[in-house]
């Protein structure tokens, strides 16, 4: 039981493991792009998905990843599950565990839900997002998208390296600047990216109105226009209205007038623009920028499937 590995937060994977994971993800990407069938490392493996919060991308991405590797998916319909009849999550966990799954992928509104579950089961737990805490596969796919743009060749050179530096293993990524823009304090995506991207040597600048900023030692700003000129990556985030107890800003329109990533804000900066989705169009990023070749939003979705395939392969097979 102690050998079981989980993916609850990005720090569960060493830098060396992440580099190997990226090599595998890119291998899977090549196969998917050329429609070449992969070997089936998850054949006869059962993976349960249990999502207590809404999801389009993450759930379908995980399910596709399992299927691409030949595994079987059992999606628990939470609205009809016994937790909605008052069963505690540890009882739900015990029951799921009794079905002998090979992995459970969970999303929950409470921070720590995946970690809690991991103590009650005999299989890997993959966190598909817990409250405002962590969303490790999202951060991994974001970093892969950044590396594909700035450091793909260097990543390939590490393919057979015996040891990988635990901090800033890629010179082409080290020192690159990223602005994480938006509702940072409520964002698990921001949290996971801050750990992962700083580990890879990037400088993270948080750009938001004061009520969306966490307490942090990172550089912060409320001037997107100025910061947008000096960064290599802009990561826009959605305002997490479902996590706001009270309305803490005038209106989304006011917010957008200062924090929407527009053509004017980006100017001629040859940066790339990321967003985990769902995008609030013209509030987070405007229509024109979404169509711009610097926007890698759909590339992130493609990379999401490949990163999740590599993570499932690593944890289960
Ligand atoms: C994010 C999430 O759910 O944490 N989206 C995602 O997983 N693709 C971000 C969000 O909901 O804004």
């Amino acid at each position: 039981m102690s050998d079981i590995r989980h993916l609850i937060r990005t720090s569960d994977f060493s830098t060396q493991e992440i580099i190997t994971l990226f090599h595998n993800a890119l291998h899977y990407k090549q196969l998917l792009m050329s429609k070449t069938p992969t070997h089936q490392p998850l054949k006869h493996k059962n993976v349960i998905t249990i999502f207590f919060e809404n999801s389009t991308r993450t759930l379908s991405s995980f399910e596709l990843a399992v299927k691409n590797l030949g595994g079987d998916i059992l999606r628990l319909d939470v609205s009809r599950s016994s937790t909605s009849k008052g069963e505690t999550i540890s009882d739900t966990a015990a029951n799921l565990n009794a079905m002998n799954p090979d992995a459970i992928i969970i999303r929950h509104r409470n921070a720590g839900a995946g970690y809690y579950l991991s103590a009650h089961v005999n299989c890997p737990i993959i966190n598909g997002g817990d409250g405002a805490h962590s969303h490790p596969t999202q951060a991994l796919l974001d970093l892969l998208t950044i590396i594909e743009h700035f450091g793909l060749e260097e990543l390939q050179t590490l393919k057979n390296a015996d040891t990988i530096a635990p901090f800033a293993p890629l010179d082409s990524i080290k020192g690159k600047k990223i602005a994480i823009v938006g509702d940072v304090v409520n964002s698990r995506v921001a949290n996971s990216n801050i750990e992962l991207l700083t580990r890879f040597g990037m400088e993270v600048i948080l750009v938001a109105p004061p009520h969306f900023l966490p307490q942090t030692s990172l550089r912060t700003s409320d001037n997107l226009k100025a910061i947008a000129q000096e960064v290599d990556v802009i990561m826009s985030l959605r305002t997490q209205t479902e996590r706001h107890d009270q309305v803490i800003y005038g209106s989304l329109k006011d917010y957008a007038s200062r924090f929407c990533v527009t053509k004017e804000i980006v100017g001629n900066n040859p940066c790339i623009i990321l967003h985990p989705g769902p995008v609030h169009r013209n509030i987070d990023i405007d229509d024109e920028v979404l169509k711009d070749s610097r926007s890698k939003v759909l590339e992130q979705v493609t990379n999401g499937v490949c990163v999740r395939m590599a993570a499932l392969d690593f944890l289960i097979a």
Side-chain angles (χ1 to χ4, degrees):
M1 172 138 185
S2 55
D3 298 344
I4 297 172
R5 295 283 303 268
H6 305 284
L7 179 54
I8 309 292
R9 45 176 81 150
T10 49
S11 56
D12 289 333
F13 283 2
S14 71
T15 305
Q16 177 118 25
E17 285 169 342
I18 289 170
I19 295 286
T20 307
L21 186 102
F22 285 167
H23 286 136
N24 279 339
L26 289 172
H27 168 69
Y28 283 132
K29 187 171 182 177
Q30 244 175 10
L31 296 179
L32 290 180
M33 291 311 199
S34 60
K35 306 253 178 229
T36 312
T38 63
H39 67 301
Q40 308 245 296
L42 297 195
K43 205 167 176 174
H44 306 304
K45 306 277 185 195
N46 290 307
V47 176
I48 294 180
T49 54
I50 180 162
F51 274 46
F52 292 90
E53 271 190 345
N54 295 340
S55 171
T56 315
R57 259 156 300 269
T58 306
L59 180 61
S60 45
S61 178
F62 268 117
E63 295 192 343
L64 202 55
V66 172
K67 285 185 185 156
N68 286 342
L69 297 175
D72 289 315
I73 278 282
L74 173 65
R75 182 194 299 186
L76 286 182
D77 182 349
V78 176
S79 62
R80 290 186 214 173
S81 85
S82 296
T83 18
S84 64
K85 298 182 192 162
E87 186 175 78
T88 64
I89 184 151
S90 55
D91 283 333
T92 305
N95 281 281
L96 294 182
N97 192 49
M99 296 177 203
N100 270 316
D102 295 287
I104 300 173
I105 304 165
I106 180 174
R107 168 171 285 194
H108 201 280
R109 69 178 173 284
N110 292 341
Y115 178 71
Y116 180 78
L117 204 64
S118 67
H120 292 82
V121 298
N122 303 309
C123 68
I125 296 293
I126 302 178
N127 180 8
D130 60 332
H133 170 234
S134 165
H135 192 351
T137 56
Q138 179 67 46
L140 288 166
L141 76 89
D142 292 338
L143 175 58
L144 179 60
T145 308
I146 294 170
I147 292 177
E148 257 192 321
H149 192 78
F150 294 105
L152 191 56
E153 275 176 35
E154 195 187 0
L155 179 71
Q156 310 290 14
T157 65
L158 295 185
K159 199 147 195 171
N160 298 313
D162 293 336
T163 49
I164 305 273
F167 178 78
L170 295 162
D171 286 337
S172 43
I173 299 300
K174 184 178 175 182
K176 287 267 182 292
K177 289 187 188 179
I178 178 169
I180 302 186
V181 185
D183 188 358
V184 180
V185 71
N186 289 298
S187 172
R188 53 195 173 209
V189 175
N191 249 336
S192 287
N193 268 299
I194 289 168
E195 189 286 317
L196 189 63
L197 302 184
T198 52
R199 179 154 38 124
F200 274 71
M202 288 185 73
E203 183 191 335
V204 178
I205 307 166
L206 307 180
V207 181
H211 48 267
F212 282 166
L213 283 176
Q215 282 226 330
T216 180
S217 56
L218 296 169
R219 188 174 151 203
T220 63
S221 171
D222 64 358
N223 188 344
L224 175 60
K225 194 162 186 187
I227 297 291
Q229 295 317 307
E230 62 169 283
V231 294
D232 305 284
V233 184
I234 299 175
M235 177 183 288
S236 170
L237 301 171
R238 182 178 66 93
T239 46
Q240 304 271 317
T241 35
E242 74 275 26
R243 293 186 219 288
H244 299 163
D245 305 333
Q246 48 192 6
V247 178
I248 40 180
Y249 44 81
S251 72
L252 282 180
K253 214 169 147 210
D254 291 342
Y255 167 82
S257 70
R258 292 175 58 211
F259 297 99
C260 183
V261 181
T262 61
K263 199 110 187 175
E264 192 205 336
I265 293 267
V266 184
N268 294 323
N269 184 350
C271 59
I272 59 168
I273 294 141
L274 307 179
H275 193 300
V279 178
H280 285 163
R281 267 180 186 265
N282 301 311
I283 293 172
D284 306 339
I285 305 181
D286 79 0
D287 291 336
E288 250 193 301
V289 173
L290 281 169
K291 278 189 289 194
D292 193 291
S293 61
R294 289 169 289 180
S295 160
K296 302 296 172 198
V297 176
L298 294 177
E299 202 62 36
Q300 289 173 274
V301 178
T302 305
N303 287 341
V305 176
C306 310
V307 158
R308 290 178 176 116
M309 286 170 77
L312 286 158
D313 192 359
F314 175 72
L315 291 169
I316 304 173

